[in-house]
Amino acid sequence: MEVGTLSSWKVQAGDEFGAGDVLAEIETDKASIDFVTEDDGVVAKILATEGAEVAVGAPIMITVEETSDVAAFENYTEDTTSS
């Protein structure tokens, strides 16, 4: 598998999550996979929109440890230019 489609988010920016929570569902040509977290945290920024095709290893979200850190990523945009 090299790419998948982010079919749905189960969280949004500002949501807290715990180990074992499903954050998103990703579909491939062969399966539907839950994106499950192994740690506790807070969603700071969603980078990939629902329906977007994402490559394996590409960032899809930013998480932080504390709710107070979410605001630091409010205007964040990913630099997709390559040098």
Side-chain angles (χ1 to χ4, degrees):
M1 180 182 97
E2 295 181 22
V3 297
T5 301
L6 201 147
S7 59
S8 68
W9 281 107
K10 307 299 182 190
V11 293
Q12 55 186 316
D15 286 355
E16 294 183 15
F17 57 84
D21 287 352
V22 175
L23 303 181
E25 186 176 299
I26 300 172
E27 294 180 8
T28 70
D29 58 338
K30 299 184 191 251
S32 181
I33 303 163
D34 287 338
F35 179 66
V36 178
T37 182
E38 295 181 6
D39 296 310
D40 298 344
V42 182
V43 177
K45 182 82 172 185
I46 303 286
L47 301 175
T49 59
E50 289 185 357
E53 220 176 62
V54 290
V56 171
I60 60 173
M61 69 188 307
I62 298 172
T63 62
V64 294
E65 293 182 4
E66 303 293 330
T67 304
S68 59
D69 295 330
V70 171
F73 294 94
E74 184 177 349
N75 296 317
Y76 175 85
T77 57
E78 187 172 17
D79 181 8
T80 57
T81 60
S82 54
S83 34

